[in-house]
Amino acid sequence: MSDERTEISSLGEFGLIEFLTRNIEIQQASTVLGVGDDAAVIDHFGKQTVISTDMLVEGIHFDLAYTPLKHLGYKSVVVNLSDIYAMNATPTHITVSIAFSNRFSVEALNEFYDGVYAACEKYGVDLIGGDTSSSQKGFVISVTALGEVTPDQFVKRSTAQKGDLLCVSGDLGAAYLGLTLLEREKKIYQENPQLQPDLEDQTYIIGRQLKPEARKDIVEYLEEQGVKPTAMMDISDGLSSETLHICKQSNLGCVLYEEKIPIEDQTKQQALKFGLDPTACALSGGEDYELLFTIKQEDYDKLVLSEQISVIGYMTDISEGAHIITKGGNKYKLVAQGWNAFEQ
């Protein structure tokens, strides 16, 4: 990126929107009218529409001291698409609204939008609108994602059944440890700006924090196998709190097995370096954007072909409560210690 700096004021709001959206390519047949009019028009050809919105606020959800703007643009889109996949739906469109202070240049916003477009391209979604505004300080991002689903094929959190298997995609805890490492290096840098950050070649956990992916592949795999989850959600606040959401909304209890929770080796090693328990990082870390879902027991054989899906427990009667059984065979009550934006 060059050192040129173009003030936003030199373009004006409409000039800025025109500049940031000048290269949009429409990917979805359902996009009848995109950016550039009073409102967008989409036609989902008899499918049901799924809608989700997320807001990301500088200083609460992200820190620009170590988050490249392009990564932030990418992540802002992906975390919304993850919510659409969590409904067993296919994302098709997004709107992106941003508010920014005068410390941001046109070049900086362009970098952010490069990340937005990279995510749109990877997941085949169209950016069809949004808004820009100034803010007194910092950067605020709001993304709305729309998706489509065959009528009544969407999956809620409240429809798990007793005896269903509890499954999770991918591996857990890495994003939290990536964040912990980045925060440590930021603190060291603030105390001694001469020191170069030492990220210990931990590309996996840092990538999981700065550039997560939504599990499009899992939703497609389940469809190929003819498996419709009985309940599903994505893991943004940590495995324990999300599992308890499914329990509460489905009016059930559960048993979770510590030894079944998938944790990547690099995550384990880094947790131990920090003096943290890898299981605690997986249970409470958050921002993994993996899918947590329940399936009927008879569908188990259809899942074993996927190395990306782990069965970590099962649903019980509500009277039995929600528990985790440790590697040592002890039984503990499952508690939500996930990330909470209101406890800063």
Side-chain angles (χ1 to χ4, degrees):
M1 191 179 141
S2 69
D3 293 333
E4 283 177 50
R5 178 182 165 95
T6 310
E7 296 298 332
I8 305 282
S9 54
S10 68
L11 290 179
E13 184 180 3
F14 288 112
L16 176 66
I17 292 169
E18 206 170 297
F19 176 76
L20 293 173
T21 59
R22 66 199 183 281
N23 295 326
I24 288 181
E25 287 180 19
I26 299 301
Q27 304 183 73
Q28 291 281 340
S30 53
T31 306
V32 179
L33 188 61
V35 172
D37 225 296
D38 293 292
V41 179
I42 57 177
D43 180 352
H44 271 154
F45 313 114
K47 297 276 185 90
Q48 288 176 331
T49 302
V50 181
I51 304 167
S52 174
T53 298
D54 262 318
M55 190 181 267
L56 298 170
V57 179
E58 184 178 354
I60 304 289
H61 302 99
F62 61 90
D63 187 332
L64 290 176
Y66 51 71
T67 309
L69 283 164
K70 187 171 179 180
H71 285 66
L72 182 61
Y74 191 90
K75 183 173 180 175
S76 302
V77 175
V78 164
V79 300
N80 272 272
L81 302 186
S82 183
D83 282 329
I84 301 294
Y85 289 120
M87 299 298 294
N88 200 38
T90 303
T92 52
H93 302 85
I94 57 163
T95 65
V96 176
S97 295
I98 54 174
F100 43 84
S101 66
N102 58 10
R103 72 184 164 95
F104 291 88
S105 63
V106 171
E107 287 77 14
L109 294 184
N110 201 37
E111 212 174 307
F112 173 81
Y113 270 85
D114 279 348
V116 168
Y117 292 132
C120 285
E121 196 175 329
K122 170 149 190 177
Y123 291 94
V125 302
D126 288 342
L127 173 66
I128 56 165
D131 193 18
T132 60
S133 170
S134 57
S135 81
Q136 288 191 314
K137 59 174 192 175
F139 194 23
V140 180
I141 306 152
S142 176
V143 179
T144 297
L146 294 96
E148 59 179 35
V149 65
T150 304
D152 303 325
Q153 283 299 301
F154 58 85
V155 176
K156 302 190 287 186
R157 300 174 178 184
S158 57
T159 41
Q161 302 291 320
K162 180 181 167 183
D164 284 353
L165 301 175
L166 188 63
C167 309
V168 71
S169 67
D171 59 87
L172 303 174
Y176 171 73
L177 282 158
L179 179 64
T180 308
L181 183 57
L182 289 163
E183 286 284 353
R184 181 195 73 180
E185 290 307 309
K186 178 191 169 185
K187 196 162 180 278
I188 292 169
Y189 175 77
Q190 285 171 334
E191 288 163 7
N192 191 343
Q194 282 74 45
L195 282 179
Q196 279 296 307
D198 176 16
L199 298 176
E200 302 178 24
D201 293 327
Q202 297 291 347
T203 48
Y204 182 69
I205 61 173
I206 289 167
R208 291 279 287 181
Q209 169 58 223
L210 295 180
K211 189 176 176 280
E213 299 292 354
R215 295 313 303 253
K216 174 185 185 187
D217 57 326
I218 299 294
V219 172
E220 289 173 348
Y221 176 80
L222 292 172
E223 189 181 16
E224 281 162 22
Q225 297 298 317
V227 175
K228 182 185 174 187
T230 51
M232 184 156 59
M233 65 185 299
D234 71 336
I235 301 179
S236 51
D237 299 337
L239 176 63
S240 57
S241 59
E242 315 297 23
T243 301
L244 289 169
H245 278 307
I246 288 181
C247 288
K248 185 180 178 186
Q249 296 197 15
S250 294
N251 220 18
L252 294 170
C254 73
V255 175
L256 203 62
Y257 293 94
E258 180 188 17
E259 64 184 5
K260 302 284 189 193
I261 297 171
I263 303 173
E264 178 72 24
D265 277 346
Q266 203 180 96
T267 307
K268 282 182 190 163
Q269 301 308 324
Q270 194 62 43
L272 299 172
K273 275 188 194 171
F274 282 138
L276 298 168
D277 174 25
T279 302
C281 295
L283 286 172
S284 305
E287 287 208 290
D288 288 308
Y289 300 104
E290 295 293 351
L291 291 173
L292 176 70
F293 57 97
T294 53
I295 62 161
K296 296 187 176 86
Q297 287 192 25
E298 56 261 36
D299 284 333
Y300 173 74
D301 290 344
K302 297 175 185 168
L303 294 194
V304 287
L305 297 168
S306 172
E307 291 174 6
Q308 286 295 311
I309 297 172
S310 306
V311 177
I312 57 170
Y314 62 94
M315 307 308 289
T316 64
D317 194 85
I318 191 168
S319 62
E320 294 181 45
H323 292 92
I324 181 165
I325 295 175
T326 65
K327 289 172 184 167
N330 296 315
K331 191 176 183 181
Y332 291 101
K333 196 173 175 207
L334 192 63
V335 286
Q337 290 172 316
W339 190 83
N340 185 335
F342 299 102
E343 289 176 11
Q344 290 298 311

